[in-house]
Amino acid sequence: MSTRHELLRFPGAYGVQLAARLDSPVEEPRAYALFAHCFTCSKDLKGARWISQTLARRGIGVLRFDFTGLGESEGDFADTNFSSNLEDLVAASNFMRQRYRAPQILIGHSLGGAAALAVAHRVPEVRAVATVGAPSETSHLSETLVRIAPALEARDEAEVELGGRRFTIKKQLLEDLQAHKLHEAIANLGRALLVMHAPTDTVVSIDHAARIYEAARHPKSLISLDGADHLLSKERDARYAAELLVAWATRYVDSPV
């Protein structure tokens, strides 16, 4: 199926302009999906791009955007947190509702997966949520950051190197991550859930996928992305995940809302 691509901007949680990209079929999409990228990543991460392109070829339009302060979006990353990510996702959903159609599918990668689980109830049109390499609790990230930068426990902010780049992390981010409890959100998701995770993931262990699956109610599915890494850095792994996602999601978006 032929596809098209649009570069877009819309106001995010703090009123700053967020950069987005829409991958969609040339024909009217059967449904729209909203993609939430991983912590300190961007909409242009290879895995996110391959997943979005594959879904577009299968008839699903996908909006992926940079959270506040990341990628091509405006704002100061140091002032953001998990709560602001949720607000950015709500803003993106509102933008899609006004300009196209509201997303029926939420897709989240790593911490973006946790955000998709936490925000789904605030987007009434969402019928299906898919996570890739997501943690079962946001405290997983706060513990990781403290391990990398122990100074965060005693100071208000510290520089942390992640993926070869340096970021200023403030203590408020840790406090916000620790305040969120995903278990209740997962148990009361009220949407179909697809959990995808690589058993060899060295960033977020596959034990987190098991905990998400156990906490959720049916309909739910768990798929092992055998041989993949956390970032889905190999094209074949990302497109494989996308094909599975399309086959699963079609069951929900093709039936009446």
Side-chain angles (χ1 to χ4, degrees), residues 3 6 11 15 23 35-36 38 83 97 123 129 138 150 162-163 167 187 196 213 220 238 257:
T3 62
E6 295 180 69
D23 298 292
F35 190 104
C38 52
S83 293
R97 185 182 296 112
V123 188
V129 179
T138 52
L162 299 166
F167 295 90
M196 294 187 284
Y213 184 82
K220 58 182 179 179
V257 177

Side-chain angles (χ1 to χ4, degrees), residues 82-245:
F82 188 70
S83 293
S84 70
N85 287 350
L86 301 187
E87 296 304 322
D88 281 347
L89 281 167
V90 171
S93 298
N94 292 338
F95 170 74
M96 293 177 73
R97 185 182 296 112
Q98 294 163 7
R99 183 153 179 168
Y100 307 100
R101 298 202 310 272
Q104 287 187 289
I105 308 165
L106 287 182
I107 307 166
H109 182 196
S110 194
L111 188 67
L117 293 167
V119 84
H121 72 283
R122 297 178 61 184
V123 188
E125 296 89 347
V126 167
R127 305 189 63 198
V129 179
T131 65
V132 182
S136 56
E137 285 293 350
T138 52
S139 58
H140 171 267
L141 176 58
S142 63
E143 293 164 0
T144 299
L145 291 173
V146 168
R147 187 165 60 250
I148 296 172
L152 277 169
E153 291 189 297
R155 295 165 51 187
D156 289 335
E157 63 179 59
E159 280 202 349
V160 176
E161 185 170 331
L162 299 166
R165 295 178 295 161
R166 298 195 69 81
F167 295 90
T168 298
I169 302 294
K170 293 186 177 180
K171 198 169 187 177
Q172 62 86 16
L173 170 61
L174 304 185
E175 294 169 347
D176 185 74
L177 288 167
Q178 292 162 357
H180 285 271
K181 304 301 178 185
L182 277 186
H183 187 277
E184 184 176 349
I186 297 169
N188 297 304
L189 187 63
R191 277 89 172 161
L193 174 64
L194 174 63
V195 181
M196 294 187 284
H197 213 112
T200 50
D201 192 328
T202 59
V203 178
V204 180
S205 78
I206 198 168
D207 293 339
H208 286 271
R211 287 195 284 270
I212 293 172
Y213 184 82
E214 289 167 2
R217 299 173 183 173
H218 286 290
K220 58 182 179 179
S221 301
L222 173 61
I223 293 178
S224 173
L225 300 177
D226 189 31
D229 58 21
H230 182 69
L231 294 179
L232 296 184
S233 58
K234 294 179 181 178
E235 184 172 0
R236 66 181 184 185
D237 293 329
R239 294 199 185 276
Y240 171 69
E243 293 288 359
L244 293 172
L245 201 163

Side-chain angles (χ1 to χ4, degrees), residues 14 16 68-70 73-81 168 170 172:
Y14 295 140
V16 300
T68 299
L70 291 170
S73 288
E74 298 175 353
D76 188 347
F77 172 76
D79 292 329
T80 67
N81 51 39
T168 298
K170 293 186 177 180
Q172 62 86 16

